[in-house]
Amino acid sequence: MKKKNLVLDDAAKAAEDAKNAAIEPYDWLQVFVIVAVALVVSFTCLGRVTPVDGGSMEPTLWHGDLMLVRHIGYTDPQPGDIVVLTKAFDAASGPIVKRVVAVGGQRVDIDYAAGTVSIDGTVLEEPYIKEAMQVPHYGGLTSLVVPEGSVFVMGDNRNHSNDSRDETLGPVDIRYILGKVELVFFPFEHFRGIG
């Protein structure tokens, strides 16, 4: 009788273990779905992941870097901000990443001989640019006042950047700004905050 009870106990234990094993993957699936939904909602409401396409922002950003771009609450671009723009122009059809150099009402003067950019008469200190600036292949603007509600943007790799110096892009209405780059998170060796 004792042996029969032990066999029944072993069978009951095995059935219980099988039931628990079947529930465990289901529990993990639930956790995965909740996390996935939370990530989608976060990126949709707060920001998005955007890849860098091209070398116009080297050495700050590299082709293939994945960035977290914040768009909720970003309504007042400032000089120095790195932004993603959705305005299509001759040199690009998809989103582009550039640095805000000047905002509405500011005067931009570009001296290609000296390799400098001045805002309202003050030469910018730009330790982030890759190399001395030359006249771009598209000619390039040399002086203008940025219209209100717009920004003037340039790439950090000035000699390989189609940006606001290109008349087909020019100053960009802030409504074309998708958001501000806050973080580079992949590849991991490039992981850092931006700003």
Side-chain angles (χ1 to χ4, degrees), residues 8 68 119:
L8 288 176
L68 179 61
I119 306 301

Side-chain angles (χ1 to χ4, degrees), residues 3 12 58 61 66 69-70 81 93-94 96 117 121 138 191-192:
K3 190 173 183 181
E58 292 176 4
L61 300 169
L66 289 180
V69 179
R70 175 176 61 96
D81 289 355
S93 57
I96 59 172
V117 177
Y138 46 82
F191 184 89
R192 71 192 177 288

